[in-house]
Amino acid sequence: AGAERGFYISFNKGDTWLPMQLNLPVVTITDLMIRDNDLVAATAGRAFWILDDLGPIQQTAGLAPDGQMKIFTPKPGYKFGSGNMEQPAENTIAGSNPPEGINIDYYLPEIPDSTEVKLEILNDEGKIVRTYTSKKDKVFKKYPGGPQPPKVLPTQKGLNRFFWDLRTDQVSPDINGVYVYGSYAGYRLPPGSYRARLTHKNLVVETPLVLKQDPNLKATVQQWQEQQQFLSRVVSDIGSIHTAVNEWRKVKRQVESYN
């Protein structure tokens, strides 16, 4: 419900109300609507405020998931091919188009200790196409033209949100110190059915992911498959070239050590 001083929510048919201000400024709410399962609020400040994907609220009715780790089913994502993969900066008040990808929400009953929390994306054949971890890569060294550091999975107590950019894992290996005028980012995956699998210790939870095609695009399933086969070969060839260069570097160092 919108009020004079903000936004409120009820989980018991209006008997009690709780503030749900989040990053919404204290402003009068003049209208509310749900579109594509996003909550859109119109304000007296001549601006709109959008809460992306009500799925976690709908699937829990505001209650903690029985003290168990849980992953929520997100709304379907769309593959537009726009290239907009960046999440808006934290605490920003400027509007921006949503990034191309899927927000994955999950609940952790407590902050994990030193043990790893892992998020895996699987395709419809059960193959792991992307892996994220809560562990920071301590041996990673950034250099100009090299790969970006792996994104670290957040593990705050309670609700966490992580963004999958529809890509596979980064191209590997890299060639240390060599400037690549491009990107090591993995290639974008096609529309279809996927699964998100969250693992912590011996507990595993999963949820389906649906990636839809741009309604204005008339590509067939066969065309998507041909594209993916080509991209997979390119990544494999790049990896083979980089591996060969790294092996040559090792041989060179061995020869130099004997001189």
Side-chain angles (χ1 to χ4, degrees):
E4 286 290 324
R5 292 183 173 271
F7 180 59
Y8 298 85
I9 189 168
S10 174
F11 297 105
N12 54 12
K13 300 180 180 180
D15 288 343
T16 56
W17 293 87
L18 300 172
M20 194 174 177
Q21 201 69 15
L22 302 177
N23 64 345
L24 174 67
V26 178
V27 65
T28 301
I29 307 299
T30 57
D31 197 9
L32 292 171
M33 70 174 296
I34 295 177
R35 184 175 180 82
D36 193 24
N37 213 40
D38 294 340
L39 179 66
V40 183
T43 75
R46 300 180 183 178
F48 292 99
W49 179 83
I50 301 175
L51 177 60
D52 294 325
D53 196 357
L54 293 173
I57 296 175
Q58 295 164 335
Q59 294 168 45
T60 61
L63 301 176
D66 301 324
Q68 298 292 325
M69 184 175 75
K70 180 178 176 61
I71 188 168
F72 300 97
T73 303
K75 68 178 185 179
Y78 283 88
K79 180 180 172 66
F80 289 108
S82 63
N84 180 22
M85 295 291 180
E86 296 298 326
Q87 287 278 59
E90 292 186 10
N91 302 320
T92 182
I93 58 174
S96 63
N97 291 327
E100 185 179 3
I102 297 178
N103 282 316
I104 300 173
D105 297 293
Y106 52 96
Y107 175 85
L108 299 176
E110 59 185 2
I111 299 177
D113 46 21
S114 58
T115 55
E116 178 187 38
V117 178
K118 184 168 60 176
L119 175 66
E120 297 168 312
I121 308 297
L122 299 87
N123 62 15
D124 57 357
E125 297 177 350
K127 178 182 177 181
I128 298 174
V129 295
R130 190 69 180 268
T131 301
Y132 300 98
T133 176
S134 61
K135 294 291 186 181
K136 186 177 180 180
D137 189 348
K138 296 182 179 179
V139 299
F140 176 84
K141 293 182 179 179
K142 189 174 181 178
Y143 57 89
Q148 295 298 310
K151 290 187 176 181
V152 178
L153 197 67
T155 55
Q156 298 297 319
K157 180 179 180 179
L159 189 64
N160 294 264
R161 169 166 286 186
F162 193 77
F163 179 73
W164 174 43
D165 59 6
L166 311 182
R167 292 183 180 270
T168 60
D169 286 316
Q170 289 196 108
V171 177
S172 178
D174 63 308
I175 305 175
N176 186 40
V178 173
Y179 190 100
V180 173
Y181 190 70
S183 171
Y184 278 88
Y187 57 88
R188 298 177 194 167
L189 291 162
S193 298
Y194 297 86
R195 284 184 294 143
R197 181 166 67 195
L198 190 67
T199 304
H200 179 230
K201 295 182 179 178
N202 296 323
L203 184 60
V204 180
V205 290
E206 293 187 357
T207 190
L209 306 176
V210 177
L211 179 58
K212 294 185 176 182
Q213 180 171 289
D214 180 350
N216 298 312
L217 190 63
K218 305 304 179 184
T220 65
V221 173
Q222 181 179 353
Q223 288 172 327
W224 283 117
Q225 290 175 344
E226 291 173 354
Q227 181 212 53
Q228 294 296 301
Q229 290 169 1
F230 171 75
L231 293 173
S232 179
R233 289 197 303 269
V234 170
V235 169
S236 178
D237 289 346
I238 293 174
S240 297
I241 294 171
H242 287 189
T243 298
V245 173
N246 288 330
E247 289 297 324
W248 295 338
R249 282 185 165 188
K250 289 181 182 178
V251 172
K252 180 181 179 181
R253 287 195 296 269
Q254 291 173 357
V255 172
E256 290 174 343
S257 67
Y258 291 119
N259 295 332

